[in-house]
Amino acid sequence: MAIDKIGVVGAGTMGNGIAQALAVAGCDVVMMDVGEAQLKRGLDTISASLDRLIKKEKMSAEQKATAMAHISTAGAVAGLAECDLVIEAATENVDLKLRIFADLDKTLKPEAILASNTSSISITRLAAATQRPGQVIGMHFFNPVPLMALVELINGLQTSAGTYAAVEELAKSIGKTPIKVKNSPGFVVNRMLCPMINEAVFALGEGLATAAEIDEAMKLGCNHPIGPLALCDLIGLDVELAVMQVLYEGTKDPKYRPAPLLVEMLEAGYLGRKSGKGFFEYPAK
């Protein structure tokens, strides 16, 4: 099927990044969130991101205006009714995602495809919350979405070949490189990445080195462009914990147990960049 109009549920970091990538590629996008403040913040973030591209001479002011014109907003699921594809990019909470998928299923036209940007939750389980399980797929982008080339495309047990082909074609058309991934806790990248970050938190909690030293060690010793603790701050400590919990519960393997310090930092409200404090501090601009 042709995918001409795309909905994005969530105007946060991942949602607005996905909306930007689609709009820059010429897709018509409806970005939906439950509050006007969230939508305004999402649009402002996209505008500022495009301004940085203009400053770097990678985009013209006219191209920015064209991209922004491709984005409209909605404050409820009803505003997505005419979309051919909707990408859910809400908080990594399975009950919330199940509710969203059930609501979308009731609202969208019968042929529409439902995708989730989940970083760890079972696509098979999300598909089962709908009356169109064959049209449900995982479409996992990486942060920052406009810059990162990879998209994991995850087939649930029910996902049809036609659904996969349509979403794969879309991913390629917006300049992304899709890889086909089997439905499994954490998929491919987070199955490897999040335990590494978790182990860095264990090392910090055990006092092996400071946060800055741990990150410097991984940058200099393993040639990583960013240290694991700074990366965790960028991803969000809440997202890291959610992925570790899914891995642990899905495999029952103790190697995936979340680091106690990670749990305690969430209890303190330290979420990383989005809260201004995580393993490092981020003063308000």
Side-chain angles (χ1 to χ4, degrees):
M1 64 170 285
I3 298 176
D4 298 317
K5 191 171 187 179
I6 302 168
V8 178
V9 177
T13 301
M14 295 304 295
N16 68 57
I18 294 168
Q20 176 181 326
L22 292 167
V24 167
C27 301
D28 288 328
V29 184
V30 183
M31 186 168 65
M32 177 254 158
D33 212 312
V34 292
E36 280 298 322
Q38 291 94 315
L39 288 169
K40 182 181 184 305
R41 191 158 53 243
L43 287 173
D44 288 347
T45 299
I46 295 170
S47 179
S49 176
L50 297 180
D51 283 341
R52 287 192 292 274
L53 293 177
I54 293 172
K55 190 174 181 180
K56 294 176 182 177
E57 298 183 347
K58 294 182 178 181
M59 172 177 280
S60 68
E62 291 75 18
Q63 287 172 318
K64 175 192 172 180
T66 299
M68 293 300 294
H70 277 296
I71 304 173
S72 59
T73 61
V77 168
L80 306 175
E82 298 305 313
C83 292
D84 303 303
L85 164 70
V86 173
I87 303 168
E88 170 273 316
T91 304
E92 196 72 351
N93 177 291
V94 66
D95 292 330
L96 173 62
K97 290 183 186 291
L98 288 170
R99 286 197 302 273
I100 290 171
F101 267 70
D103 288 346
L104 288 170
D105 187 42
K106 295 172 187 173
T107 304
L108 301 183
K109 52 193 177 185
E111 65 271 25
I113 293 171
L114 301 180
S116 178
N117 182 58
T118 179
S119 53
S120 60
I121 294 168
S122 169
I123 300 303
T124 296
R125 185 174 180 186
L126 295 177
T130 76
Q131 299 301 310
R132 62 182 85 200
Q135 292 153 242
V136 176
I137 191 168
M139 196 175 189
H140 182 213
F141 292 82
F142 290 80
N143 186 30
V145 177
L147 300 180
M148 300 294 278
L150 178 65
V151 179
E152 289 181 323
L153 298 185
I154 305 102
N155 277 342
L157 190 64
Q158 316 94 315
T159 306
S160 72
T163 294
Y164 183 87
V167 174
E168 181 183 47
E169 183 179 343
L170 172 68
K172 290 178 178 177
S173 75
I174 64 171
K176 301 301 183 186
T177 301
I179 62 167
K180 189 174 185 178
V181 178
K182 180 182 176 182
N183 188 56
S184 178
F187 313 132
V188 168
V189 172
N190 282 332
R191 174 79 171 264
M192 298 180 287
L193 175 65
C194 288
M196 182 198 73
I197 293 172
N198 192 54
E199 197 61 36
V201 182
F202 267 116
L204 179 63
E206 293 168 15
L208 301 187
T210 67
E213 289 167 338
I214 290 168
D215 275 13
E216 192 73 358
M218 290 302 288
K219 287 191 289 183
L220 298 180
C222 298
N223 204 28
H224 288 192
I226 184 173
L229 299 175
L231 180 57
C232 189
D233 281 352
L234 178 64
I235 295 169
L237 277 69
D238 52 339
V239 175
E240 167 69 16
L241 178 59
V243 174
M244 292 309 301
Q245 288 170 331
V246 167
L247 287 170
Y248 185 58
E249 292 164 10
T251 65
K252 300 297 188 275
D253 191 327
K255 73 181 180 183
Y256 295 122
R257 70 201 185 285
L261 178 59
L262 179 64
V263 176
E264 188 172 14
M265 290 186 70
L266 253 78
E267 290 174 344
Y270 301 155
L271 306 182
R273 285 182 176 269
K274 56 189 167 188
S275 71
K277 182 176 176 62
F279 297 105
F280 303 95
E281 293 191 6
Y282 304 91
K285 295 180 181 178

